[in-house]
Amino acid sequence: MKILVVGTGAREHALVRALSLDPAVTALHAAPGNPGIGALATLHAVDQLDGAAVTALATSLDADLVVVGPEAPLVAGVADAVREVGIPVFGPSAAGARLEGSKSFAKEVMAAAGVPTAEPRVATTIEEAAAGLDAFGSPYVVKDDGLAAGKGVVVTHDRAEALAHAQACLAKPGGRVVIEDYLDGPEISLFVLSDGIDVVPLVPAQDFKRARDGDEGPNTGGMGAYSPLPWAPADLVDEVVERVARPTIAEMARRGTPFSGVLYVGLALTSSGLKVVEFNARFGDPETQVVLARLETPLAAVLLASATGTLGTLPPLHWRDDAAVTVVIASGGYPGSVRSGDPITGTEDADALPGVHVLHAGTALQPDTDAEHLVSAGGRVLSVVGVGPDLAAARAAAYAGVHQIDLPLSHYRSDIAAAVADLPLV
Ligand code: GLY
């Protein structure tokens, strides 16, 4: 199978890595990819938001499957463009991707489908936003309605900060915000594959969204993750499938916009039961890095089944008994304005450690030099993944990898999976 993966992040590197281990995959291409992906796939300098260019590339490669990783190309309709020429594509249409592209649309679908979630207030003026904040009280939750590259959500006890975020979102063209009650309780990410009708859940993971240890600092795209979750209820996945995924997929089909690809269900286990915090229309980053590290079933046929409407005939997925932990190394300044062009060393030494692999995100090769001259080129730079027989071993492997890597002024969290490391896997 010839596969083209669209995207540039560590999530796409994880997808390419898993596909490279699948004997059914005969050729791997990425657009535009990154230096880490370039070690496993042929890179093509194509704008990932340009549906016509991605389609032309897929056609010229005679691709059997296109996998669209990030949300922005999905919302821009790249999957629609590829699908139109008859090439199977993993990822929802632009209409399906509205589940991520508009928080208020997602809430509307959840309400119609009876999915448990916090009651929202949608505001288009600062007065409505202020009234929403006062109705729900602290901690305040303010979400940009549209895509915001991981920076759209502010959760704070500071009303002025909440209002300032609402103001910044409202200032964008067509800006609006969703204000809602804070959902207490631990958060879980569960990815559910769909072909528009059937659903297949993957295994749950937990993400660490705040920049600093102890869940301090600003929200980020995610600073680390682990799987499995030994503390999660045994029936969690079944409950999410029955109460969230199936009703949502059915509601999208009923509206004439069937959703295929991966529905990322962000959940909180609150004192009054599970509630959806957010939907995304793509794999999570960095959760994908740990979920795919545990997947034993070859990935290509799984993604193709979603793309071709045949998930119902897919044999059950197999998972390794191992645990996986990933730690993100971020550039100085992240999630604010970040440094770039700083030299990165030690990734090969980290990769050589048992149970460790390094996935690239914001990296670049310095022009006119060789692979030794890897430099930072973004906020989240690397995801170091550790795999082991339990969470303590996986965590130790991930941090052993992190300690091999040097990137001036970079930062990472030192507490990923720390609180659960000693729990036995069930
Ligand atoms: N890790 C959060 C996200 O992918 O949106």
Side-chain angles (χ1 to χ4, degrees), residues 5-366:
V5 175
V6 176
T8 62
R11 163 187 51 212
E12 286 75 32
H13 193 173
L15 286 161
V16 166
R17 179 179 182 272
L19 291 168
S20 75
L21 299 172
D22 181 341
V25 176
T26 53
L28 264 175
H29 297 267
N34 64 38
I37 294 174
L40 301 171
T42 306
L43 303 186
H44 301 269
V46 162
D47 177 0
Q48 60 177 341
L49 297 178
D50 184 339
V54 171
T55 304
L57 175 62
T59 305
S60 73
L61 296 171
D62 196 21
D64 300 299
L65 176 67
V66 175
V67 179
V68 183
E71 61 276 20
L74 292 167
V75 169
V78 168
D80 305 74
V82 174
R83 212 169 266 128
E84 211 152 278
V85 298
I87 299 175
V89 55
F90 180 83
S93 62
R98 280 191 80 207
L99 282 179
E100 173 161 6
S102 168
K103 304 272 181 239
S104 54
F105 173 74
K107 288 287 189 181
E108 187 188 306
V109 171
M110 286 186 234
V115 168
T117 187
E119 198 63 39
R121 280 205 184 195
V122 180
T124 54
T125 66
I126 198 67
E127 291 77 21
E128 287 170 356
L133 294 177
D134 294 336
F136 292 121
S138 172
Y140 304 103
V141 180
V142 182
K143 298 179 173 180
D144 195 336
D145 187 56
L147 292 186
K151 293 177 187 161
V153 180
V154 162
V155 180
T156 177
H157 289 282
D158 181 344
R159 187 178 181 281
E161 186 190 353
L163 208 54
H165 182 61
Q167 180 76 74
C169 300
L170 293 171
K172 296 178 188 173
R176 49 181 169 172
V177 290
V178 173
I179 293 171
E180 62 186 41
D181 224 351
Y182 175 70
L183 296 176
D184 64 326
E187 292 194 10
I188 292 175
S189 303
L190 181 68
F191 306 147
V192 182
L193 306 181
S194 180
D195 57 8
I197 298 169
D198 283 307
V199 298
V200 173
L202 305 188
V203 290
Q206 189 172 51
D207 180 20
F208 289 70
K209 289 206 168 73
R210 298 277 180 173
R212 289 193 282 280
D213 283 4
D215 289 331
E216 299 287 338
N219 261 334
T220 70
M223 293 297 288
Y226 68 92
S227 177
L229 313 181
W231 48 268
D235 61 351
L236 174 85
V237 172
D238 290 343
E239 189 179 355
V240 175
V241 165
E242 294 314 320
R243 296 185 61 202
V244 178
R246 283 197 196 286
T248 301
I249 296 301
E251 173 61 18
M252 292 299 283
R254 192 193 65 74
R255 289 170 181 243
T257 52
F259 182 96
S260 72
V262 56
L263 180 66
Y264 166 142
V265 183
L267 301 157
L269 291 189
T270 74
S271 44
S272 52
L274 74 79
K275 296 209 171 146
V276 173
V277 175
E278 63 175 350
F279 280 152
N280 292 314
R282 39 81 195 172
F283 284 112
D285 185 349
E287 299 96 309
T288 301
Q289 287 86 305
V290 289
V291 170
L292 292 185
R294 298 187 55 220
L295 180 66
E296 206 161 53
T297 303
L299 182 62
V302 178
L303 301 183
L304 187 66
S306 160
T308 55
T310 55
L311 271 184
T313 59
L314 191 72
L317 300 181
H318 290 288
W319 297 95
R320 296 192 175 87
D321 291 333
D322 286 336
V325 172
T326 191
V327 179
V328 170
I329 299 179
S331 288
Y334 180 77
S337 50
V338 297
R339 297 171 59 86
S340 63
D342 289 324
I344 304 167
T345 55
T347 55
E348 286 167 8
D349 295 331
D351 250 329
L353 294 174
V356 179
H357 60 269
V358 178
L359 300 170
H360 291 224
T363 66
L365 292 177
Q366 233 169 30

